Amino acid sequence: MALVGAAVGCLAVVAGAQAAGSGADVLKVRLGGDRTETRIVIDLSRSASGKVASNGAEDRRVVVNLPGVSIDGGLQGGGLGLVKAWVVDDGPGGARLRLDLAADATIKRRFLLPPADGVSNYRYVIDLAAKAPAATQVAHSEPAVARAESSVARFLSAPVRPTKAALPMKKVIVIDAGHGGKDPGARGADGNEKDVTLAAARALKSQLERTGRYKVVMTRDTDVYVDHGVRVQIARRADADLFISLHADSGSDPSLRGASVYTLADRAIGRSAKFVSKDDWFMQAGSHGDNGVSTILLDLTQRMTRNRSASFAEVLLNRVSDHQPLLRRSHREAGLAVLLAPDVPAVLLEMGFITNAEDEAVLRDPSRRNRLMSSVGDAIDDYFGQPTKLASR
């Protein structure tokens, strides 16, 4: 196997172990291998299972969720072999490993190794294989698990050295242009809501992509109608870090103006469970399919998602207020369908009143609209700007 005797990456160790609890803690992350096969080993304090959210086939981005696993803040480091960069951070219901791949590769195998042979902790192992293996790769006849167990011991750790700047692991932002197609939305003096939301979404996408820090997914990029449930599923399939739905408000009083932000109300939390299918990782998180554990995990995930949504809403309002007046009660809660993803922080931004002449002028003027979207981009930067623990090889 190409992993044996290959170069070994120095990776992160969690500073300050969390207090022992019923779940597992991430103790250490290690990489080894080459551009033919690369192994990722996550050392855990207890047994845990993983669920692949993205296998890297489409965009060279692998995401593995570890339900019930705790991570003290965030960890990230440089790559090795098939891995360009990696991050372990808080995901839906537990820790989440994200890998940016340096070449086309697939997950060859995943398995959990119990404490053995002088190793006192569990090890969750992920093997990546290049899609076009080198012709010189040597085939081994020994069983795969036996090779895995023998090679794990060759992964050595080295002291963590903090780097000066964050590594380029992109956050995934889903931008939802409200309404569209057969659904025009509210009507202003000069046109429909669906047109200004699409123009704003395109402007925000362009600004975010220019930074190089984000991968942006649009729920629609043309004048088409997309069902609300489909918009939520787009965000979940993208393993989004943030979902922003852009709208323009309306009212019977033409003098009413100002922006506001909606997050999901407590009373609507139960409805979000409908987006969890029978094959979802939530339902597999419990030991031997324990529905009680899965229900608790879903509840915790929903509450964590609501807290994160509320946190971003406050940051967003602070930034938007630089370019647009706010309604008196600017942070609102509602059971809006596009906010129902149980595991994706989400907000709906009412950019202003299309029924107000001043607000509509802002939304229709490219220059002022761009400045407003720049403030949204600044809020996203602020939200993801918390320092992350770093490790270098």
Side-chain angles (χ1 to χ4, degrees):
M1 184 175 179
L3 293 171
V4 178
V8 177
C10 159
L11 303 161
V13 180
V14 178
Q18 295 180 343
S22 58
D25 295 331
V26 176
L27 304 177
K28 189 182 300 180
V29 182
R30 297 171 284 154
L31 267 66
D34 54 26
R35 293 296 289 262
T36 300
E37 289 195 13
T38 302
R39 168 165 294 172
I40 302 95
V41 180
I42 304 174
D43 287 355
L44 301 168
S45 62
R46 296 173 184 262
S47 176
S49 61
K51 174 71 174 179
V52 176
S54 175
N55 63 10
E58 295 183 359
D59 55 3
R60 292 188 178 180
R61 186 172 186 267
V62 171
V63 180
V64 178
N65 290 313
L66 298 168
V69 175
S70 300
I71 176 71
D72 183 14
L75 298 169
Q76 63 183 33
L80 179 76
L82 294 168
V83 177
K84 181 166 63 176
W86 61 270
V87 167
V88 180
D89 59 6
D90 289 323
R96 173 178 57 181
L97 170 70
R98 294 183 294 158
L99 308 171
D100 272 353
L101 303 183
D104 291 336
T106 58
I107 296 177
K108 187 174 182 179
R109 65 177 72 87
R110 294 180 295 128
F111 53 91
L112 182 73
L113 291 174
D117 300 326
V119 179
S120 60
N121 53 265
Y122 287 84
R123 291 149 292 169
Y124 187 80
V125 182
I126 303 169
D127 283 342
L128 300 175
K131 283 191 174 180
T136 56
Q137 183 178 0
V138 178
H140 290 263
S141 59
E142 58 183 317
V145 174
R147 296 200 307 271
E149 291 179 347
S150 64
S151 60
V152 167
R154 296 177 180 268
F155 287 82
L156 307 177
S157 301
V160 174
R161 298 189 301 275
T163 58
K164 293 183 179 180
L167 293 159
M169 181 68 76
K170 294 183 179 181
K171 298 290 185 180
V172 177
I173 312 298
V174 174
I175 304 173
D176 174 45
H179 306 280
K182 65 181 182 181
D183 176 14
R187 174 74 184 179
D190 297 315
N192 296 315
E193 179 183 1
K194 68 175 183 178
D195 300 318
V196 297
T197 61
L198 182 57
R202 287 171 173 168
L204 179 57
K205 177 178 186 289
S206 177
Q207 292 186 25
L208 292 177
E209 289 182 335
R210 279 200 300 270
T211 70
R213 292 190 290 270
Y214 305 101
K215 174 186 174 183
V216 180
V217 177
M218 300 270 283
T219 59
R220 71 179 183 97
D221 195 23
T222 58
D223 184 19
V224 296
Y225 175 75
V226 181
D227 184 81
H228 291 148
V230 173
R231 298 174 195 238
V232 174
Q233 294 294 11
I234 288 172
R236 296 198 72 216
R237 285 196 297 269
D239 194 45
D241 294 287
L242 189 63
F243 175 92
I244 305 173
S245 188
L246 300 176
H247 286 256
D249 218 334
S250 63
S252 57
D253 181 358
S255 67
L256 188 62
R257 67 174 306 202
S260 60
V261 173
Y262 285 85
T263 55
L264 190 65
D266 268 332
R267 65 180 182 274
I269 286 180
R271 291 171 54 205
S272 69
K274 73 179 183 179
F275 291 101
V276 181
S277 70
K278 66 179 180 179
D279 297 323
D280 199 280
W281 68 268
F282 285 110
M283 309 312 295
Q284 302 177 20
S287 175
H288 306 295
D290 187 331
N291 289 332
V293 173
S294 298
T295 301
I296 292 171
L297 178 59
L298 176 58
D299 180 66
L300 291 173
T301 299
Q302 289 172 314
R303 294 186 183 281
M304 181 172 64
T305 299
R306 277 198 72 233
N307 290 338
R308 290 179 176 176
S309 300
S311 176
F312 175 67
E314 294 301 321
V315 174
L316 180 59
L317 287 169
N318 182 58
R319 284 291 191 173
V320 167
S321 65
D322 293 337
H323 299 280
Q324 184 76 327
L326 303 179
L327 287 178
R328 183 171 58 84
R329 188 169 62 87
S330 54
H331 185 180
R332 305 181 173 206
E333 294 186 342
L336 301 169
V338 292
L339 303 179
L340 288 175
D343 48 356
V344 179
V347 301
L348 185 148
L349 171 63
E350 296 280 8
M351 300 177 289
F353 280 75
I354 198 169
T355 49
N356 175 272
E358 293 174 275
D359 277 0
E360 185 178 18
V362 171
L363 297 178
R364 293 198 177 280
D365 179 73
S367 177
R368 286 188 284 178
R369 184 175 59 229
N370 285 344
R371 285 197 293 271
L372 179 60
M373 289 302 100
S374 178
S375 69
V376 177
D378 290 340
I380 294 172
D381 286 341
D382 292 345
Y383 178 70
F384 292 116
Q386 297 299 319
T388 302
K389 296 187 183 69
L390 303 172
S392 63
R393 287 174 24 221

